[in-house]
Amino acid sequence: MTLYDGVYPFYPQRRRPFIFDVHLIIVIIVFLTFACSFLLILPGIRGRARLFWFFRVIASLFIGAVIVAVNFTSDWETGSVTANTTYKSFSNAMVNAEVGLQVGLSGVNITLTGNPVNQINETIDYNEHFDWSFQDDYDEYYFEGLRKGLPNPIMYIAEKFTSNSPCGLYMQYRLSGHYASATMWVAFCAWLISNVLFVMPAFVYGAYMLLVTAAFMIFSLLSFATVRNVGICPIHFGHAILHPDFGASFWITLATGLLCFLIGIIIIVMDHFMPNKLKAFFSLEEDEEDLLVVQDYMNPHFAKIGTMQPPPDIRLTIKNI
C-alpha cells in the first residue's frame, strides 16, 4: 500500500478536530438571550431597585445556566500527558504528541495533538467522542473507531472503557454519570420552583428550595465521585502515565452548589432578623409605597360616592315596593 496525499489507503479521510458541543452552544445562547432581554428593560426600573434586580436576575441565570450546561460538558474528569507513541496500526512510525482524556456524564472525549501538529506528512489533531448514555452503545462507537482507523493512542484509551475491558470502568462511569445527570435535572427543577416562590413573593420557601437545589447538586458530585472507588487502570505511553483528575465542570458545579447554599442561608437569616431589609432587597417596600401614593391621590369625590346614602323619598319608595 502506498501513501495518497499523506494518508494510508485504509484510513479513508483526514479527521477534523471537534470545535464545540452543539448542546452547550444552545444552552449558552438561551441563557444569554434571557440576560440580554433583562438588560434591555433594566433602565426602566427606578431607584436602588435597579441594582437589586440586576443582582438577583444575573445570579439566578448563572445558577440555572451552570446546572443545565454541565450535563453536556465533557470535562468532569480530565487528564493529559505528552509522550512518544506509535501513530497508526501497521506502521512503526513514532510521533511526539499530547494525549488528552476528558470524561463527562454521557461519554468520554479523547484528544490527540501532535507536537508539532504537522508530523510524518500529516496533521495530527484529533478529538473523538465515545458516548455511553443509555440510548447509545459505547462498544459500537468503539468498533466504528476501529473501522475508521483512528490512531493507536485514541483507541488504546477508548478500549479501557469498553464493556469487555478487565478494567471495569464502563459500568462504573456509566452508572455514576447517569445518576449524576438525573440529580442535576432535579436540581434544575428545584431552581425553577425557587424562582417562582421569590416572585410570589414567598422568600423563606424560595430560600428552602435553593437549599434543595444545592443539596441535589452536591448529591450529583458525590454520585460522580464514586468512580474513585474503582481502581483506575494505568494508562501508559512508554514511561509516561496519564493520571485523570476532577475537571472544571466538577469544581464549577461544587462552587455553584455552595453559592446556592450560601444565598439560601442568608435569606433565611435576613427573614428572621432583618425582614424589612429583605423586603427592600426584593423591592417589596417600593411596591407598597406605590400603593400608598395611589391611595393618597385618589379623588375624594369618588370616595364620597361610595358612602353616599340614597335620599329619604327613594328609600321610602323602595320600602313600599
Side-chain angles (χ1 to χ4, degrees):
M1 295 185 179
T2 59
L3 289 173
Y4 176 74
D5 193 23
V7 182
Y8 285 102
F10 43 83
Y11 298 103
Q13 60 180 353
R14 294 180 182 272
R15 301 296 299 164
R16 294 184 178 180
F18 171 79
I19 303 300
F20 213 73
D21 187 83
V22 177
H23 297 93
L24 203 56
I25 293 176
I26 294 174
V27 172
I28 293 174
I29 290 176
V30 169
F31 280 91
L32 281 179
T33 301
F34 282 118
C36 293
S37 301
F38 170 73
L39 291 177
L40 289 176
I41 66 174
L42 187 62
I45 303 175
R46 55 189 180 79
R48 61 181 181 178
R50 181 183 304 168
L51 180 62
F52 295 156
W53 271 97
F54 177 81
F55 175 80
R56 285 156 45 194
V57 173
I58 297 301
S60 180
L61 289 177
F62 171 77
I63 294 172
V66 169
I67 294 174
V68 178
V70 294
N71 284 278
F72 306 106
T73 55
S74 59
D75 56 350
W76 279 71
E77 194 173 75
T78 61
S80 63
V81 64
T82 301
N84 293 317
T85 178
T86 57
Y87 181 47
K88 291 180 179 179
S89 301
F90 311 107
S91 174
N92 294 324
M94 302 287 291
V95 297
N96 183 269
E98 180 181 0
V99 185
L101 171 65
Q102 296 88 31
V103 181
L105 300 183
S106 61
V108 59
N109 209 73
I110 305 172
T111 61
L112 178 67
T113 305
N115 186 23
V117 175
N118 295 311
Q119 297 183 48
I120 58 173
N121 297 324
E122 288 198 31
T123 300
I124 305 174
D125 193 6
Y126 292 80
N127 191 320
E128 300 294 332
H129 185 75
F130 300 87
D131 207 329
W132 58 44
S133 54
F134 281 118
Q135 65 268 21
D136 294 304
D137 187 355
Y138 178 89
D139 290 342
E140 180 60 30
Y141 284 105
Y142 173 75
F143 290 127
E144 180 66 22
L146 290 177
R147 288 190 289 268
K148 292 178 179 178
L150 294 179
N152 282 352
I154 293 178
M155 301 312 300
Y156 168 65
I157 298 178
E159 186 182 8
K160 299 284 187 181
F161 293 89
T162 56
S163 59
N164 297 322
S165 173
C167 294
L169 299 179
Y170 173 71
M171 288 304 299
Q172 184 68 22
Y173 272 95
R174 187 188 186 197
L175 291 176
S176 298
H178 173 73
Y179 288 114
S181 179
T183 50
M184 287 300 295
W185 285 116
V186 176
F188 178 73
C189 295
W191 170 78
L192 290 176
I193 296 174
S194 68
N195 282 276
V196 173
L197 292 173
F198 283 137
V199 173
M200 289 183 61
F203 308 136
V204 177
Y205 297 107
Y208 289 153
M209 291 309 299
L210 269 182
L211 296 181
V212 172
T213 303
F216 277 101
M217 295 179 74
I218 299 301
F219 292 157
S220 177
L221 297 175
L222 294 177
S223 175
F224 185 81
T226 56
V227 296
R228 293 293 176 176
N229 297 331
V230 178
I232 303 299
C233 290
I235 303 175
H236 290 275
F237 292 97
H239 296 290
I241 301 177
L242 194 156
H243 294 285
D245 203 354
F246 293 131
S249 293
F250 183 92
W251 298 115
I252 289 176
T253 304
L254 177 61
T256 306
L258 295 177
L259 176 63
C260 292
F261 181 80
L262 180 63
I263 294 175
I265 292 297
I266 290 176
I267 293 176
I268 293 173
V269 171
M270 289 185 65
D271 182 77
H272 185 73
F273 294 101
M274 296 176 289
N276 293 330
K277 290 186 178 180
L278 183 63
K279 290 181 179 180
F281 180 77
F282 282 94
S283 306
L284 188 61
E285 286 188 348
E286 294 194 4
D287 294 341
E288 293 176 352
E289 291 176 0
D290 293 341
L291 180 60
L292 291 175
V293 169
V294 173
Q295 292 177 352
D296 290 340
Y297 281 92
M298 184 180 293
N299 194 323
H301 175 71
F302 295 103
K304 291 181 180 180
I305 292 177
T307 58
M308 288 180 60
Q309 298 294 332
D313 53 347
I314 296 178
R315 290 200 301 267
L316 182 58
T317 304
I318 295 174
K319 186 177 180 181
N320 294 333
I321 294 174

